[in-house]
Amino acid sequence: MAAYPVDPRDPDAAYLSFWREHHLCTLSTLRPDGSPHVVPVGVTYAPEEGLARVIANKASAKVAHILAAGSAGARVAVCQVDRRRWATLEGLAVVVTDPERVAEAERRYAERYGRAPSPNPARVAIEIELTSAMGRG
C-alpha cells in the first residue's frame, strides 16, 4: 500500500485492494458548533468516478450536518484502519435522494460487504466528491 499522499482518482493497487476488503469505517462531519461528529459507517470507493459513498437514514445527524453546509457540500473524511494499515478519503459530501443513485450506493455496499442492506424507505446516499486521499501500509 502506498504511503500518504495518494491520488484519489489513481490509487495504487494495494490502496484500492484495501478499500475492497470488508472493514468498518468512520465518517467525520462537523456539527454546527464546529466540533467533530465521528460515526461508524460502511463506505464504498469508486476512484474512476472520484467518489466515495455511504448509505444513511435521512433523519440521521450525519445527514443533517451535511445538509446544513448547503448545496456546495460539506467537508468530510472517511477512514478505515486495520492494525498498522489505514486509509483516509476526504472531500465534499452531498446528500442524494434520487432513487437510482441511492440504489447504486446500495448495490456497491452489497458488493463490498457481502450482504444487501435491509430495506429502508428513509434511506439516502451520501456522495463524497474526493479531493484528497492518504494512507499507510
Side-chain angles (χ1 to χ4, degrees):
M1 176 186 293
Y4 54 90
V6 174
D7 180 346
R9 290 183 167 271
D10 189 25
D12 66 35
Y15 190 83
L16 185 56
S17 177
F18 186 43
W19 276 105
R20 300 291 188 247
E21 295 173 11
H22 186 290
H23 292 288
L24 188 60
C25 304
T26 59
L27 169 68
S28 299
T29 59
L30 295 177
R31 295 181 180 100
D33 69 0
S35 63
H37 178 256
V38 183
V39 294
V41 294
V43 176
T44 62
Y45 174 34
E48 69 282 0
E49 297 177 75
L51 289 177
R53 293 176 175 91
V54 174
I55 56 175
N57 188 302
K58 67 181 176 184
S60 67
K62 61 186 159 281
V63 167
H65 298 154
I66 294 166
L67 291 173
S71 61
R75 299 276 316 153
V76 303
V78 291
C79 183
Q80 66 182 21
V81 177
D82 180 38
R83 297 181 183 238
R84 295 186 63 159
R85 298 184 303 159
W86 61 273
T88 299
L89 301 169
E90 298 178 4
L92 286 171
V94 295
V95 175
V96 298
T97 58
D98 174 73
E100 289 182 15
R101 289 166 69 183
V102 173
E104 178 63 10
E106 292 171 326
R107 184 192 70 74
R108 288 175 179 269
Y109 178 95
E111 183 179 279
R112 179 174 188 196
Y113 292 101
R115 66 173 187 82
S118 57
N120 180 352
R123 179 165 291 128
V124 297
I126 297 169
E127 292 183 348
I128 305 165
E129 183 180 340
L130 301 174
T131 57
S132 63
M134 56 185 155
R136 186 174 199 96

